[in-house]
């Protein structure tokens, strides 16, 4: 990036904000303006609400938004994975129908991938979609579905062919969550939140035009979603940030965070809250304990090197390289950081780390960190799965022996799984 390019972009966005930013504007109205101007997602194509700019300019644009307190497009949650997936894999009509409302925040999405018998083994999904005239009829069960309880749309991975090897028999659909054949049941987590759900399908319908890509190409589309999810893992600590300023738009944004974003409010804790370590160590005096200092130094080094990995992944993206195994490296690094952070928080707070409520350390935030950190090693593919990907695709090591190469119908399954 030359200084000239940087200055031109900075001046352009600054001038646009000076002419358009208005804190008394309604949230949806403002986000529609952002979509029309391309400044909400400047790295998206100009045809689809962006300006076709390299990702490297995003930080300059974010910086200018922050200076005037301007609100951005709706970026948090599964909708951004949905957006990235549709941008890469959907047809013109699907993009026209769905992308704008993702940016304005009018539609919430969920990711219907994991099932009771297939999480790591995602390609073993047995939720089925059968063609019936113009529609697909969906039957089966998903689980751990974040935000399903208030989602308008779901990204569904379902089996459409049982007679080919398992990866080839899956298709990818956009499913309307508000229909009689979809039943959503929330699940309570050990940290007290209920972000997940189990979702049951009984003859749920998907119209033909909601098939993404081609029949049997679902695995490839799902991998696009997961690559974006893994790459985004390093951004967890920034989620849920809202402004306390006066103005209609800020009030509407706060209301959005309190409802639609509710499932994500523990996500910064899930990432380990490295940002709190130094102040907590100073506050409690544990900074003077050499063994605690040692662990703190280890954490800060891990955290910094994870940032470098994330920067390398961003640099690859800026150079237009396809999503690769950097996502797995970054995701694994974020698990190491989160676990080490939980260890250090425990060393700093001692037994008080287990307390919740008003008079506990940081009003229960430390306890929430300890209970939420394990999720980082599971969501979006477990640590073991990331290690398998790194060993096979980065290091070129021998692949795990496979026993499931033939037609999926003949692959041994759980007795409860349909054949
Ligand atoms: C916070 C959070 C949010 C989530 N949100 C969603 C969502 O919105 N939508 C969705 O579809 N899913 C979601 N999930 C589910 C998540 O994708 C799965 O939990 C994950 O893929 C692991 O699958 P599983 O739970 O079935 O565990 P399993 O696959 O049963 O794994 C159990 C253990 O076996 C290990 N293991 C499995 N296979 C191998 C192997 N080949 N080699 C070595 N070890 C192996 C695993 O690493 C793990 O330790 C979410 C999970 C979390 C924690």
């Amino acid at each position: 990036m030359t200084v000239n390019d940087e200055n031109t972009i900075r001046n352009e966005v600054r001038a646009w904000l000076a002419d358009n930013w208005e804190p008394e504007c309604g949230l949806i109205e403002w986000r529609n303006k952002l979509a029309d101007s391309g400044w909400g997602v400047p790295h998206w194509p100009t045809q689809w609400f962006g300006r076709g700019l390299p990702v490297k300019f995003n930080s300059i644009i974010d910086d200018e938004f922050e200076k005037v307190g301007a609100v951005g497009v709706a970026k948090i949650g599964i909708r951004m994975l949905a957006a990235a997936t549709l941008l890469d894999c959907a047809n013109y009509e699907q993009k026209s129908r769905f992308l704008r409302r993702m940016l304005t925040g009018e539609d919430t999405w969920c990711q219907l991938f994991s099932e009771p018998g297939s999480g790591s083994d995602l390609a073993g999904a047995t939720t089925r979609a059968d063609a019936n005239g113009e529609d697909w009829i969906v039957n089966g069960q998903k689980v751990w579905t974040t935000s399903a309880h208030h989602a308008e749309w779901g990204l569904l991975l379902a089996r459409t062919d049982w007679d080919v090897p398992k990866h080839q028999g899956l298709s990818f659909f956009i499913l309307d969550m508000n229909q009689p054949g979809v039943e959503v049941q929330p699940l309570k987590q050990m940290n007290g939140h209920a972000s997940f759900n189990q979702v049951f399908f009984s003859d749920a319908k998907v119209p033909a035009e909601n098939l993404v890509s081609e029949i049997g190409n679902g695995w490839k589309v799902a991998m696009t979603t997961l690559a974006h999810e893994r790459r985004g893992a390093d951004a967890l600590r920034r989620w849920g940030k809202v402004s306390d300023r006066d103005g209609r738009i800020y009030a509407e944004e706060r209301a959005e965070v309190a409802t639609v974003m509710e499932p994500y409010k523990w996500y910064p804790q899930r990432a380990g809250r490295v940002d709190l370590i130094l102040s907590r160590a100073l506050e409690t005096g544990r900074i003077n304990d050499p063994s605690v200092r040692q662990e703190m130094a280890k954490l800060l080094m891990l955290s910094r090197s994870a940032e470098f990995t994330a920067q390398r992944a961003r640099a690859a993206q800026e150079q237009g390289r396809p999503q690769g195994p950097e996502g797995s490296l970054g995701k694994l690094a974020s698990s190491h950081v989160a676990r080490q952070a939980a260890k250090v928080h425990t060393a700093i707070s001692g037994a008080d780390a287990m307390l919740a409520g008003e008079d506990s350390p940081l009003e229960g935030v430390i306890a929430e960190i300890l209970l939420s950190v394990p999720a980082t090693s599971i969501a979006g593919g477990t640590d073991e799965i990331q290690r398998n990907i790194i060993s096979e695709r980065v290091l070129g090591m021998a692949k795990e022996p496979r026993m499931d190469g033939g037609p999926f119908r003949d692959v041994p399954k759980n007795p409860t799984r349909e054949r």
Side-chain angles (χ1 to χ4, degrees):
M1 174 174 11
T2 68
V3 175
N4 257 351
D5 291 340
E6 225 180 277
N7 288 342
T8 310
I9 299 290
R10 199 178 278 284
N11 290 338
E12 263 186 62
V13 66
R14 198 176 282 173
W16 187 83
L17 284 169
D19 288 345
N20 291 280
W21 169 237
E22 171 49 71
E24 287 306 323
C25 187
L27 185 62
I28 307 290
E29 187 193 338
W30 166 246
R31 285 178 173 162
N32 268 311
K33 261 191 194 181
L34 285 177
D36 292 334
S37 68
W39 287 117
V41 274
H43 56 298
W44 282 22
T46 42
Q47 187 190 12
W48 300 114
F49 316 114
R51 298 180 79 87
L53 290 173
V55 180
K56 64 187 175 189
F57 290 119
N58 282 8
S59 57
I60 297 169
I61 295 158
D62 288 350
D63 189 39
E64 290 302 316
F65 269 61
E66 207 154 302
K67 274 186 200 156
V68 295
V71 169
V73 291
K75 276 191 189 137
I76 301 174
I78 304 289
R79 64 160 69 89
M80 284 331 269
L81 296 182
T85 308
L86 296 198
L87 269 179
D88 280 356
C89 306
N91 61 30
Y92 182 88
E93 284 72 28
Q94 290 163 344
K95 287 178 188 165
S96 311
R97 245 176 100 197
F98 296 111
L99 287 177
R100 177 185 281 271
R101 290 174 62 89
M102 287 174 181
L103 297 178
T104 58
E106 287 163 279
D107 285 345
T108 302
W109 287 65
C110 66
Q111 181 189 17
L112 299 158
F113 285 11
S114 305
E115 298 183 6
S118 61
S120 300
D121 178 26
L122 188 57
T126 56
T127 290
R128 58 187 307 144
D130 297 302
N132 180 15
E134 289 296 289
D135 294 326
W136 291 90
I137 305 297
V138 181
N139 283 286
Q141 185 197 344
K142 298 286 174 180
V143 73
W144 316 128
T145 319
T146 307
S147 291
H149 54 295
H150 56 217
E152 275 83 24
W153 298 101
L155 300 171
L156 171 72
L157 187 66
R159 189 156 303 277
T160 45
D161 190 343
W162 298 69
D163 294 314
V164 292
K166 63 180 186 178
H167 293 86
Q168 295 167 27
L170 295 163
S171 300
F172 199 100
F173 301 95
I174 297 168
L175 178 126
D176 181 353
M177 295 293 289
N178 296 312
Q179 57 167 307
V182 177
E183 190 193 336
V184 178
Q185 290 180 0
L187 295 168
K188 190 100 172 172
Q189 296 143 218
M190 69 176 174
N191 63 4
H193 297 275
S195 322
F196 306 128
N197 304 270
Q198 27 187 7
V199 183
F200 298 90
F201 307 106
S202 317
D203 292 335
K205 279 191 188 152
V206 178
E209 67 266 21
N210 283 12
L211 169 75
V212 178
S213 185
E214 280 149 32
I215 299 172
N217 211 20
W219 182 250
K220 208 169 153 218
V221 183
M223 286 305 99
T224 308
T225 316
L226 285 181
H228 284 284
E229 184 170 10
R230 286 165 189 169
R231 186 170 271 186
D234 71 295
L236 287 179
R237 59 187 167 274
R238 296 194 292 275
W239 287 19
K241 204 173 135 193
V242 275
S243 167
D244 55 3
R245 297 182 201 212
D246 290 333
R248 175 180 165 193
I249 199 161
Y250 298 120
E252 288 185 16
E253 195 193 25
R254 280 194 293 276
E256 178 186 58
V257 170
T259 52
V260 184
M261 297 308 145
E262 163 78 23
Y264 305 102
K265 70 180 192 198
W266 58 281
Y267 273 41
Q269 278 67 271
R270 167 183 152 177
R273 295 303 302 268
V274 178
D275 59 314
L276 298 176
I277 293 284
L278 193 57
S279 57
R280 286 284 303 151
L282 287 165
E283 198 178 296
T284 56
R286 298 289 283 153
I287 188 95
N288 299 316
D289 180 329
S291 62
V292 172
R293 274 212 309 272
Q294 188 104 338
E295 292 301 322
M296 284 173 64
K298 196 167 148 193
L299 170 63
L300 296 176
M301 282 188 288
L302 269 176
S303 170
R304 184 55 68 89
S305 62
E307 276 167 28
F308 291 149
T309 306
Q311 278 172 16
R312 275 205 308 280
R314 275 195 291 276
Q317 198 183 6
E318 282 163 17
Q319 287 158 16
R321 298 218 306 267
Q323 300 268 351
E326 300 96 346
S328 291
L329 289 170
K331 174 144 201 311
L332 194 54
S334 65
S335 289
H336 284 301
V337 169
R339 264 198 306 275
Q340 176 67 9
K343 185 174 163 187
V344 176
H345 275 301
T346 310
I348 291 173
S349 295
D352 287 356
M354 292 187 286
L355 300 176
E358 276 175 17
D359 52 357
S360 64
L362 297 185
E363 300 192 355
V365 167
I366 303 297
E368 190 165 284
I369 292 169
L370 304 193
L371 291 173
S372 305
V373 153
T376 307
S377 299
I378 304 171
T382 66
D383 286 0
E384 288 75 19
I385 295 304
Q386 306 316 318
R387 286 197 184 93
N388 283 351
I389 294 172
I390 293 164
S391 71
E392 292 175 12
R393 297 198 211 146
V394 183
L395 303 175
M397 290 164 75
K399 293 202 170 188
E400 274 194 281
R402 302 207 77 121
M403 314 296 287
D404 54 1
F408 186 67
R409 193 179 293 282
D410 301 332
V411 172
K413 307 173 189 72
N414 256 323
T416 53
R417 283 169 146 198
E418 199 166 344
R419 280 169 180 252

